[in-house]
Amino acid sequence: MATYNQFVVTDAGRALLAKAVANKGVFTVSSIKTSSHTYTQSAIAVLTSLEDIRQSFPLASATTVDSTTVKLQFNVTNVGLATSYTLATLGVYAQYNNSETLFAVSTADNPDIMNAEQAGALVRNILTTVYIKTANASSISIAVDMDTYITKAMLDAAEKKALDLAHPVGSVYLHIGGTDPATAFGGTWKKIEGSYLLASGSYDGVTLSAGKRIGEAKHTITKDEMPEHHHEGETDVGGEHRHWSCGALPHDFQWDACEGNNAPVAVGYGDGCWHGNRVDGHTSWDGKHSHHFTTGDAGKGNAMRVMPLATVVDAWYRTA
């Protein structure tokens, strides 16, 4: 991270200001220029201009603090910069009667890189505040407010700190539209695909650890998981038969097979009726039979999909 020294007023700058004070002319701070050239502190006083100038920026604002102090602000930026360079030196230029000269210089102990502008990348801005205080030309002092001097390293650190506060490593980001959070916020993110989010802890007697993938997309139920139920069936009609008894009937129980009976013609005396006295007899067991039935099969045993109603979102979690 670059550390810039306090500005040093050049001999030419003192002379220019002395002329303005003596002649009551107009002394104007015109611009601040950047250079990749490195100067020693002892070499600054005799400079009249900077070598290897890379960028020039006009004065952004000037404010009178009191009768002897003026506050100046410059905005140094990489907007429009095509080639990166080492920002080693800052030079404040001033004009008097249309004559411009190098007024003061600040050098960096650890020069920073001013990166070229890139599409989609963070724009770099360095707000430099300079205070010029003088009672006369021989007592000029110039200072830079280093708290408002923002280097690229400072911007990167601030961006990283903001990311860590808003989206620390391990945090989950949900979005409908598919925007990768690495593009918007920075950091490294892994996309979560095709699964629900479940809070860690104990669930149905199982301990769930964060980051573990569990569950199943489809499930085939077992016999123990089937609802309690029973089956009913119906047999077909079958085994139709009749029973006959052999022997004569007593006179008082005389039976006429021809009267009110659908039976075939009975054995008798040739008149189609059976007459006689009862004798002991029995029916046959010829109609004895059994019944068996089975119920029909239903279902195919396919696995069922496990998916409750849900709103689909794009999800990531930060890994670094």
Side-chain angles (χ1 to χ4, degrees):
M1 177 175 165
T3 301
Y4 287 85
N5 299 305
Q6 295 294 324
F7 277 88
V8 175
V9 179
T10 64
D11 293 342
R14 290 180 184 277
L16 192 67
L17 187 58
K19 289 180 182 179
V21 171
N23 299 320
K24 299 183 186 222
V26 178
F27 175 87
T28 305
V29 174
S30 55
S31 65
I32 189 169
K33 302 182 188 298
T34 63
S35 169
S36 58
H37 190 80
T38 301
Y39 297 94
T40 62
Q41 289 293 101
S42 60
I44 293 176
V46 297
L47 293 176
T48 57
S49 64
L50 294 179
E51 299 178 61
D52 199 14
I53 294 175
R54 295 304 184 94
Q55 291 180 284
S56 178
F57 302 94
L59 180 67
S61 66
T63 305
T64 301
V65 178
D66 53 39
S67 60
T68 60
T69 306
V70 177
K71 175 183 176 182
L72 309 176
Q73 285 190 314
F74 303 90
N75 186 31
V76 178
T77 177
N78 68 339
V79 174
L81 182 63
T83 304
S84 302
Y85 67 93
T86 301
L87 204 169
T89 303
L90 290 170
V92 176
Y93 279 73
Q95 288 183 345
Y96 175 70
N97 289 339
N98 296 321
S99 175
E100 185 178 66
T101 191
L102 181 60
F103 180 74
V105 175
S106 174
T107 58
D109 290 336
N110 300 298
D112 199 5
I113 301 297
M114 177 64 86
N115 291 323
E117 182 183 15
Q118 296 180 0
L122 184 69
V123 173
R124 183 181 179 187
N125 287 288
I126 302 174
L127 178 64
T128 305
T129 303
V130 175
Y131 293 90
I132 298 178
K133 182 179 179 64
T134 181
N136 54 60
S138 62
S139 61
I140 299 172
S141 64
I142 182 169
V144 59
D145 183 357
M146 301 305 291
D147 290 339
T148 60
Y149 193 94
I150 306 173
T151 66
K152 181 179 183 300
M154 293 168 67
L155 287 174
D156 290 343
E159 183 179 8
K160 176 66 165 53
K161 182 178 181 180
L163 174 62
D164 290 341
L165 289 174
H167 305 284
V169 173
S171 61
V172 174
Y173 176 73
L174 303 178
H175 190 273
I176 296 178
T179 301
D180 188 340
T183 302
F185 311 124
T188 303
W189 299 76
K190 183 175 181 179
K191 193 170 186 180
I192 303 171
E193 297 183 305
S195 68
Y196 294 92
L197 301 181
L198 178 65
S200 62
S202 180
Y203 176 78
D204 196 24
V206 177
T207 300
L208 305 178
S209 301
K212 183 179 180 181
R213 192 177 177 92
I214 63 168
E216 55 188 346
K218 291 186 176 181
H219 179 74
T220 303
I221 64 174
T222 65
K223 181 184 292 187
D224 289 342
E225 292 171 336
M226 293 176 62
E228 184 177 347
H229 64 285
H230 69 279
H231 298 276
E232 294 182 356
E234 183 176 297
T235 62
D236 295 332
V237 177
E240 183 177 357
H241 60 279
R242 60 158 38 116
H243 299 276
W244 289 91
S245 176
C246 298
L249 295 174
H251 185 275
D252 54 349
F253 290 133
Q254 190 180 65
W255 173 69
D256 185 353
C258 299
E259 295 179 3
N261 194 296
N262 292 326
V265 176
V267 178
Y269 296 107
D271 60 358
C273 297
W274 189 357
H275 308 277
N277 297 323
R278 182 181 64 182
V279 296
D280 293 333
H282 63 275
T283 60
S284 68
W285 294 95
D286 296 338
K288 181 180 180 181
H289 62 283
S290 63
H291 296 276
H292 176 75
F293 74 91
T294 59
T295 60
D297 293 331
K300 296 182 179 180
N302 294 334
M304 61 182 179
R305 184 183 298 245
V306 182
M307 181 179 285
L309 292 175
T311 298
V312 179
V313 299
D314 299 298
W316 292 264
Y317 71 93
R318 188 181 168 199
T319 59

